[in-house]
Amino acid sequence: MFDFTSYKNIKFAFINTYVNFSLKLKVAKISFITTLFLMLSSCNAVKRLSSDDYLLMDNSIHVNDKKNNTDALSSLLYQKPNGKLPLFGVPIRLHIYNLARPNIDSILNTKYRNPEDPKTGLKNFLSLKQYEALINSKSTFNSWLKTTGEPPVIINTAKTDKSTTNLKTYYYKNGWFNAVASYKIDTTGTKRAKIDYFVKTGDPYFLDSIRTKIQSPVIDTLYKTLKKKSLIVKGDQFKENNLTNERDRLTTELRNSGLFHFAQDYITFEIDTIGTNKKVNTDIIIQNRIIRYDDSVEVRPFKIYKIKDVNIFTDDAYQNKDLVPTDTINYKGFNIYSYGKSKYRAKALTDAVFITKGGIFKDINRTRTYRYLSELRTFKYPNIEYVEDEKDSTLTANIYLIPKKKFGLNFNAEVSQSNIQTIGFAFSGGLLIRNVFKGAETLEVSGLGSIGASKDANNSKDAFFDITEVGATVKLTIPRLFFPVNTNKVIPKFMSPSTRISAGATSQRNIGLDKQTLTGILSYNWYPNQKVTNTLDLFNVQFVKNLNVDNYFGVYQNSFSSLNSIAKNINYIDNTDNLSIPNGADQFISAVLNNNTSLSPIDEDYQTISNIDQRKRRLTENNLIISSSFNYVKNRRETIFDNDFSIIRFRLEFAGNLLSSIANITGANKNNNDRYDIFGVAFSQYTKAEFDYVKYWDLGKRSVFAVRSYFGIAVPYGNSENIPFSKSFFAGGPNDNRAWTAYNLGPGSLKSTNEFNEANLKLHFSAEQRFNLFGSLFGALFVDAGNIWNVFDDVTDEAQTFDSLSSLKDIAVGSGFGLRYDFSFFVLRGDIGFKTYDPSYNLGDRWLKDYNFNNAVYNIGINYPF
């Protein structure tokens, strides 16, 4: 018979055991976290130091009794304190280093390889190979602790003396010739100390007389013109950098003025401060040319060299090194040689060469020729050699070109996932044809295809891979401006102008609404200097045709759920029924907007349905966009290692003006919606402007502070009442406001459940502090702010529109932190964003409403967000 009492005892015992286990588990977790925190906050950072050593805790620099710890001065110090974790102030890398055993080999040998104890450790339980692997793993882990960690920075008086000398030298080079520097070491605790550096600058010295001693007559003549832009100016405070920069400037100018043999070493400076009452008298000395032979030295005045001939060898491949060119073309003073019949039109080659027959030698012309030839994408890196003729001071320029292969192939594949598809596979490939019309043009023919499974693919009526996309693009790049008139005076060829002509078509099924897209672009690019890029899209044509409009509510199910819920609430349908798609949903919208239901225009549900209808019409209408745009980018970044720079981007776009003017002139008729159309499609007309500014500050110690500000607006007019969906703005996502997912923020204070939220005005601001944790791992703290609004279009909902400066109260604020791992060629980024100020809530209830991990947004991205 079953003993119920025994069962209860067993049951209670089990529950008691489970509760005790759960409590112990929680206590263990709390204990682990507490222990970890105590380890980081109270670890003995100086346990590896000897009795005479002191750990450097801080550096302070005092200039004329005022503290000055700028990056410029701090960078001069040989020793800096161990890096600390921001906010917490814990030298985590030092603690990691201290976890390593300094004598790990002897410890392991004593513990695991003790000949007096053959049963040492786990030797009886493991094979010899396993045993040795265990020992090696402990040694490897100890090495990892050392390399990942950071050794303690122990105060070294020799290095401190060098730091003091550096400070004195820095001020000496900047005009304080009587500067003195000293230091003082103060203990701040057990084996801990700080260093105070003291600098007394004295009075600065200023430039007074500036004289020249130029030996070559030709340089003396040139200098009279060049000195007008001199960086050495009487009355300025002496700075050694000005002398260095002036030497660089003069060298560049003289090498661009025909002096083939000139170099920096020929320019020296002599300064005199004796008895000048803190004035600096400067002599600029430019020597004659020095020619060194095996056993003698000859000194000659510099001469201006001219270009005698320019020879271009079009196929200087290795297999042709012993052959004689068989095809010679003389075109506008250029000699073009080929081994066999030339494969290039002469003008295409000479347009890329800036070295001209009869002109004087200019070093910049060689640099420009290198760049232009490389940008053709037709040749490997070119080689330019000058052959000197001393008799008549001329140069023959030989340009050797090695063609790349005529054809190139590429193929890419990727796997993706989105809020529409559970899994997708995409494939793309292309054929590249170089020198297609013998003018160094590049023709690219590419295609793409993808298949995917939507989240509704479990429907037995649909195939599993129910998402498809196919497309093709043809792009022709011409290495000059393809224009009816000569543009060399407006955009000279040293700006590397090019023309891009492309056409493409894609067809999508079940990605949003099924659609077909046709595009065509005529675009020009040129570079006024190394920092500025200009792009002019003279014509950009885009036609989008929606194929499956009846499935709108099948795709945008949040809109349908709102519609269906309102229909039930006003008893338009029974609670047990649902609106059919598309007829039932369309009929209900029509009934509400025609006032055939209990809803009136002042009701909130009426406004909701009106918004749904307006959005449906926008997203299902076909679009024809014919636009022109200008894009300006100024990037001040010198190299990829430069972390102190700014980037400015500006874009202005106009669409539909040409078609509108033609329609007005020809007296074309408008359609039922009072809009002009072409082949039944109303063209879009709008003006769009975008401004983007990014600024980086290098804070030293691999720490960077970066900010970004963005403003964008698109104003419809004439033939349009709103902006096409593809040209509108959205907010949120890994490169925007990271506390919201993409398309999930705004517009304004609207608490929307739409799958895609967009508008035609956008403001965005970001600030991010990036700092090194250890090795290639970096951390970041960030704040993002911004939103989107509707303005100057047909949206009238106050929650969504930007009416005045008071609408700025709807700017959303997100904050958070992230980790970045630098793989050198790209950065893998992970960010966690928290909603700090959410405008979708009522005023007074917006701050920190959802500031928790449950409502956080987790972002993964490649490279930095800006």
Side-chain angles (χ1 to χ4, degrees), residues 291-306:
I291 305 173
R292 289 182 171 83
Y293 302 101
D294 292 338
D295 54 357
S296 62
V297 174
E298 181 182 354
V299 178
R300 296 181 187 174
F302 280 98
K303 295 180 180 180
I304 292 178
Y305 280 74
K306 289 188 176 182

Side-chain angles (χ1 to χ4, degrees), residues 326-584:
T326 58
D327 188 10
T328 303
I329 300 173
N330 187 280
Y331 179 79
K332 293 185 177 181
F334 294 91
N335 302 315
I336 303 173
Y337 300 100
S338 302
Y339 301 92
K341 186 173 178 58
S342 177
K343 301 176 182 178
Y344 308 93
R345 283 190 285 110
K347 187 177 186 305
L349 296 176
T350 58
D351 279 351
V353 177
F354 292 82
I355 306 168
T356 56
K357 181 178 181 178
I360 64 172
F361 165 80
K362 292 185 178 182
D363 203 30
I364 192 173
N365 286 343
R366 174 163 52 178
T367 302
R368 288 172 173 172
T369 302
Y370 274 131
R371 189 183 72 176
Y372 203 122
L373 287 171
S374 298
E375 289 173 350
L376 292 179
R377 299 170 62 190
T378 301
F379 304 101
K380 298 178 182 178
Y381 195 76
N383 182 29
I384 301 176
E385 295 180 355
Y386 286 99
V387 179
E388 178 184 1
D389 187 341
E390 293 188 2
K391 294 180 181 179
D392 56 3
S393 299
T394 61
L395 299 170
T396 297
N398 294 323
I399 303 172
Y400 301 98
L401 306 176
I402 302 177
K404 293 182 178 179
K405 293 182 178 179
K406 177 79 172 179
F407 300 98
L409 293 172
N410 64 78
F411 178 79
N412 295 298
E414 63 179 33
V415 181
S416 60
Q417 188 180 27
S418 70
N419 61 338
I420 293 177
Q421 63 181 8
T422 55
I423 189 170
F425 302 93
F427 311 91
S428 62
L431 171 66
L432 185 145
I433 308 174
R434 298 182 178 91
N435 194 37
V436 63
F437 299 122
K438 294 188 176 182
E441 304 91 352
T442 302
L443 180 66
E444 297 176 73
V445 182
S446 59
L448 63 89
S450 66
I451 56 175
S454 73
K455 295 184 177 180
D456 294 331
N458 54 2
N459 189 330
S460 59
K461 295 181 180 180
D462 295 329
F464 179 73
F465 289 114
D466 59 339
I467 295 177
T468 61
E469 179 180 8
V470 294
T473 301
V474 178
K475 181 173 70 174
L476 177 66
T477 302
I478 304 172
R480 54 194 168 274
L481 292 188
F482 186 72
F483 203 71
V485 298
N486 193 331
T487 59
N488 286 340
K489 292 184 179 180
V490 180
I491 304 176
K493 68 177 185 177
F494 75 81
M495 295 184 182
S496 300
S498 63
T499 303
R500 180 166 60 95
I501 305 172
S502 68
T506 60
S507 178
Q508 300 174 342
R509 184 172 73 88
N510 204 23
I511 301 178
L513 301 177
D514 299 349
K515 62 179 61 179
Q516 292 177 342
T517 304
L518 300 175
T519 58
I521 299 174
L522 172 59
S523 176
Y524 302 110
N525 291 275
W526 67 96
Y527 308 89
N529 55 59
Q530 292 183 347
K531 292 180 172 61
V532 176
T533 301
N534 290 332
T535 302
L536 174 65
D537 285 353
L538 191 61
F539 292 107
N540 190 328
V541 182
Q542 183 180 28
F543 173 67
V544 180
K545 181 179 181 181
N546 293 298
L547 303 178
N548 194 12
V549 176
D550 289 343
N551 193 38
Y552 177 83
F553 287 114
V555 174
Y556 298 95
Q557 295 183 2
N558 288 340
S559 296
F560 177 75
S561 296
S562 298
L563 204 66
N564 200 53
S565 178
I566 295 173
K568 290 181 179 180
N569 290 340
I570 65 173
N571 297 320
Y572 182 84
I573 58 174
D574 294 335
N575 283 331
T576 58
D577 293 335
N578 291 309
L579 295 171
S580 61
I581 299 175
N583 294 333

Side-chain angles (χ1 to χ4, degrees), residues 31 81 105 133 233 245 273-274 325 350 424 463 470 497 563 566 586 619 718 757 805 816 862:
S31 300
D105 291 334
V233 180
N245 294 335
T273 60
I274 299 175
T350 58
V470 294
L563 204 66
I566 295 173
D586 290 341
L619 268 64
N757 294 297
L805 292 179
I862 301 296

Side-chain angles (χ1 to χ4, degrees), residues 69-77 80-84 86 93 150 641-645 696-706 769-773 778-779:
N69 277 22
T70 60
D71 286 341
L73 294 181
S74 297
S75 64
L76 301 174
L77 305 182
K80 298 175 184 178
N82 289 100
K84 296 179 180 179
R93 292 188 64 193
E150 181 183 48
F641 304 105
D642 182 11
N643 284 320
D644 203 319
F645 64 94
Y696 278 45
W697 287 273
D698 191 340
L699 305 181
K701 298 181 181 179
R702 304 178 75 185
S703 180
V704 174
F705 183 70
Q769 173 74 51
R770 302 164 187 166
F771 47 87
N772 180 253
L773 294 175
F778 291 78

